């Protein structure tokens, strides 16, 4: 698998290259035949579901990408880096505090729920569904999914810059100094919170500066999580790609590599992506509309 090929050489780092087109004139347009997909779905025993920002966008979660995708005057790529945190930890924490507070007001949408319900239903039949998500919002978990690999981490975990301790953190606000801060409007001035007042480690004798436990651009993805994703992708007999742009690496390589070994891949998205022509199916439209009927109980399940 692609994960093994990369991890054998060096740590896999998160990056977002320029869009490129992977299709060629000889490639056939993917099918949108739901009945054909459902037939394959009914026979699959190990289903991998890769999800991206498009799933959460339907819950009203800002993506900070594309036209208008700014927090103040920055996009995520400007703030989600080790260098940005080193230069201005107050600004970066304002950004993540805003995102955490927004997420606490959002709920899973029909796409999240369809995936969770499918996992629970198929588990009773001895079949397995695993979610491999690039999202850091935990909406899959809140929807009820159990088999989740969060390859980019979680908004609701923190890691100490000094001792390395990582822990779930659902405090609102994450520290007193951030209360009322993080407004996203372009004219908002930085709070310039002193570093000693930013979130601090609560481990005995530490008090180190905390950071969000997410994978920033330029950082290596967790090797254990990638190893588990590799195993899922190696054995899956059906793969769904849901709400992902297929431009953020290394996740953008996962589904095309699965397709290359002959496994059916179905893409559910609002638009074509650079990988669309590599897949067997493409279902156009909001994931919350297209996914529930695709993952509902197949008539054969009741036989």
């Amino acid at each position: 698998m692609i994960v093994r090929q990369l991890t054998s050489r060096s740590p896999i780092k998160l990056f977002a290259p320029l869009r490129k087109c992977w299709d060629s004139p000889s490639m056939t347009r993917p099918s949108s035949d739901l009945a054909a997909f459902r037939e394959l779905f009914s026979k699959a025993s190990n289903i991998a579901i890769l999800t991206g920002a498009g799933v959460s966008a339907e819950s009203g979660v800002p993506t900070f990408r594309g036209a208008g995708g700014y927090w103040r005057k920055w996009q995520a790529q400007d703030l989600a880096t080790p260098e940005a945190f080193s230069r201005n930890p107050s600004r970066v924490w304002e950004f993540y505090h805003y995102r955490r507070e927004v997420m606490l007001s959002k709920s899973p949408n029909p796409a999240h729920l369809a995936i969770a319900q499918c996992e629970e239903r198929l588990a009773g039949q001895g079949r397995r569904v695993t979610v491999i998500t690039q999202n850091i919002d935990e909406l899959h978990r809140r929807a009820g999914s159990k088999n989740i690999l969060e390859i980019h981490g979680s908004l609701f975990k923190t890691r100490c810059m000094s001792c390395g301790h990582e822990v779930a953190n659902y405090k609102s606000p994450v520290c007193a100094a951030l209360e009322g801060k993080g407004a996203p409007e372009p004219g908002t001035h930085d709070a310039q919170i002193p570093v000693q007042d930013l979130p601090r480690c609560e481990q005995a004798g530490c008090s180190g500066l905390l950071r969000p436990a997410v994978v920033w651009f330029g950082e290596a993805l967790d090797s254990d999580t990638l190893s588990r994703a590799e195993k899922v992708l190696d054995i899956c007999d059906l793969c769904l790609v849901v709400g992902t742009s297929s431009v953020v690496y290394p996740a953008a390589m996962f589904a095309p590599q699965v397709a290359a070994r002959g496994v059916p891949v179905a893409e559910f998205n609002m638009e074509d992506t650079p990988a669309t022509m590599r897949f067997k199916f493409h279902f156009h439209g909001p994931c919350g509309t297209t996914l529930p009927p695709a993952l509902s109980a197949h008539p054969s399940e009741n036989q």
Side-chain angles (χ1 to χ4, degrees):
M1 249 330 277
I2 191 71
V3 177
R4 185 188 302 120
Q5 293 167 4
L6 285 169
T7 52
S8 66
R9 293 197 296 269
S10 60
I12 303 178
K13 295 185 177 181
L14 181 67
F15 65 100
L18 295 173
R19 285 182 73 97
K20 64 177 180 178
C21 216
W22 291 356
D23 60 316
S24 72
S26 62
M27 288 184 175
T28 304
R29 178 73 193 171
S31 169
S32 58
D33 185 339
L34 182 60
F37 168 81
R38 297 271 294 156
E39 187 64 23
L40 290 171
F41 167 73
S42 71
K43 299 173 181 176
S45 58
N46 285 287
I47 302 172
I49 303 182
L50 310 176
T51 69
V55 177
S56 295
E58 293 179 33
S59 288
V61 178
T63 63
F64 303 105
R65 292 179 188 163
Y70 288 82
W71 178 83
R72 296 180 186 170
K73 61 181 180 180
W74 296 281
Q75 289 190 303
Q77 293 93 323
D78 302 318
L79 299 170
T81 70
E83 294 78 15
F85 191 72
S86 178
R87 286 193 303 268
N88 197 327
S90 173
R91 177 187 296 155
V92 172
W93 258 121
E94 277 199 87
F95 174 58
Y96 280 96
H97 167 66
Y98 167 74
R99 296 179 71 179
R100 285 165 57 99
E101 295 299 304
V102 165
M103 282 315 310
L104 292 174
S105 71
K106 304 301 180 184
S107 299
N109 64 56
H112 295 108
L113 297 173
I115 291 169
Q117 291 162 5
C118 177
E119 177 191 330
E120 181 179 21
R121 189 181 74 250
L122 296 192
Q125 304 168 27
R127 302 161 69 191
R128 187 173 181 86
V129 174
T130 304
V131 176
I132 302 173
T133 186
Q134 300 172 72
N135 298 336
I136 60 175
D137 50 43
E138 295 196 1
L139 284 177
H140 283 298
R141 197 174 303 280
R142 288 165 56 188
S145 290
K146 300 293 192 297
N147 301 323
I148 311 169
L149 297 176
E150 297 169 320
I151 62 172
H152 293 168
S154 168
L155 273 175
F156 296 101
K157 291 181 181 178
T158 54
R159 183 185 312 130
C160 180
M161 299 286 288
S162 297
C163 73
H165 181 68
E166 187 170 310
V167 66
N169 185 319
Y170 294 91
K171 293 180 181 178
S172 175
V174 65
C175 72
L178 282 165
E179 185 165 11
K181 304 298 191 297
E185 291 76 20
T188 305
H189 295 293
D190 286 353
Q192 298 183 349
I193 300 169
V195 68
Q196 64 269 21
D197 294 332
L198 292 172
R200 313 299 296 192
C201 182
E202 297 181 359
Q203 289 292 99
C206 185
S207 297
L209 176 65
L210 295 179
R211 56 162 283 179
V214 298
V215 180
W216 283 331
F217 290 99
E219 289 187 323
L221 276 67
D222 179 74
S223 59
D224 290 339
T225 302
L226 281 174
S227 178
R228 292 167 63 194
E230 171 197 344
K231 293 176 182 177
V232 171
L233 296 169
D234 275 350
I235 66 171
C236 75
D237 49 10
L238 179 65
C239 180
L240 280 64
V241 186
V242 185
T244 175
S245 61
S246 293
V247 296
V248 176
Y249 285 71
M253 295 182 287
F254 293 170
Q257 190 70 16
V258 170
R261 66 179 180 87
V263 174
V265 177
E267 183 178 57
F268 295 78
N269 211 348
M270 289 291 292
E271 59 186 5
D272 285 4
T273 72
T276 295
M277 297 300 288
R278 297 292 182 100
F279 302 149
K280 187 175 184 68
F281 298 97
H282 175 87
F283 298 100
H284 181 87
C287 302
T289 300
T290 59
L291 202 58
L295 296 183
S296 63
H298 189 271
S300 64
E301 294 181 35
N302 300 318
Q303 296 177 359

